[in-house]
């Protein structure tokens, strides 16, 4: 498996998201920016009306910002093929792992929770 947030990993995630009919349906009214921090690497994505893409600018978003921050080890635990109990989604990770947090406004997370959970459920998994 490729490294989390590597170009290969991101391409695979974007391709999977683009083909997912459930994501397109549940996200047709959603628009938000996703900021992922994996160790020292930061990536920005935008989800807009069912379309998911990487954004290469650190601009102030004109939409909600949902942010996830974690050490590389924390992300690897969550993105395992079969995660251990309490490491299987980002809400559980926030409580169980001290090196993982969701610093964004809670209202933004709650507003886009279903879409964000689906995005992480289809993210590429690691051995």
């Amino acid at each position: 498996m490729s490294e989390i947030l590597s170009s290969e990993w991101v391409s695979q995630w974007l391709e999977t998201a683009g083909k997912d009919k459930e994501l397109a349906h549940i996200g047709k009214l959603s628009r938000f920016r996703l900021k992922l921090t994996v160790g020292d690497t930061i990536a920005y994505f935008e989800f807009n009306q069912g379309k998911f893409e990487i954004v290469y600018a650190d601009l102030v978003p004109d939409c909600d910002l949902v942010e996830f921050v974690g050490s590389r080890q924390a992300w690897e635990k969550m993105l395992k093929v079969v995660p251990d109990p309490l490491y299987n989604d980002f809400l559980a990770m926030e409580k169980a792992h001290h090196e993982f947090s969701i610093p964004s406004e809670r209202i933004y997370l709650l507003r886009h929770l279903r879409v964000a959970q689906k995005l992480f459920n289809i993210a590429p998994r690691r051995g």
Side-chain angles (χ1 to χ4, degrees):
M1 273 282 142
S2 59
E3 186 70 27
I4 299 168
L5 291 186
S6 68
S7 60
E8 181 183 338
W9 189 90
V10 169
S11 293
Q12 185 179 354
W13 195 19
L14 296 175
E15 182 180 338
T16 304
K19 293 177 182 176
D20 194 284
K21 293 180 189 227
E22 179 185 358
L23 182 62
H25 178 73
I26 65 174
K28 63 185 171 189
L29 299 177
S30 292
R31 182 166 185 258
F32 64 97
R33 176 94 35 111
L34 183 63
K35 179 181 179 183
L36 299 184
T37 302
V38 178
D40 295 331
T41 305
I42 298 173
Y44 293 89
F45 300 87
E46 190 164 291
F47 189 89
N48 190 358
Q49 298 179 336
K51 297 190 188 312
F52 187 53
E53 62 186 0
I54 191 161
V55 182
Y56 292 103
D58 183 13
L59 302 174
V60 176
D62 58 349
C63 57
D64 297 344
L65 175 67
V66 179
E67 182 177 3
F68 298 93
V69 176
S71 67
R72 188 155 302 283
Q73 295 81 11
W75 283 103
E76 287 173 352
K77 286 184 179 204
M78 187 172 81
L79 295 174
K80 282 176 58 175
V81 173
V82 179
D84 296 330
L86 302 178
Y87 295 95
N88 58 343
D89 73 23
F90 52 80
L91 292 174
M93 283 289 292
E94 185 180 39
K95 293 197 181 294
H97 205 291
H98 69 280
E99 294 179 353
F100 187 88
S101 65
I102 307 170
S104 54
E105 295 286 335
R106 271 309 203 234
I107 188 70
Y108 298 156
L109 175 64
L110 294 175
R111 188 177 293 155
H112 305 290
L113 185 61
R114 186 166 179 213
V115 173
Q117 284 180 323
K118 181 64 178 176
L119 282 169
F120 282 103
N121 285 341
I122 64 173
R125 299 294 166 172
R126 299 175 48 82

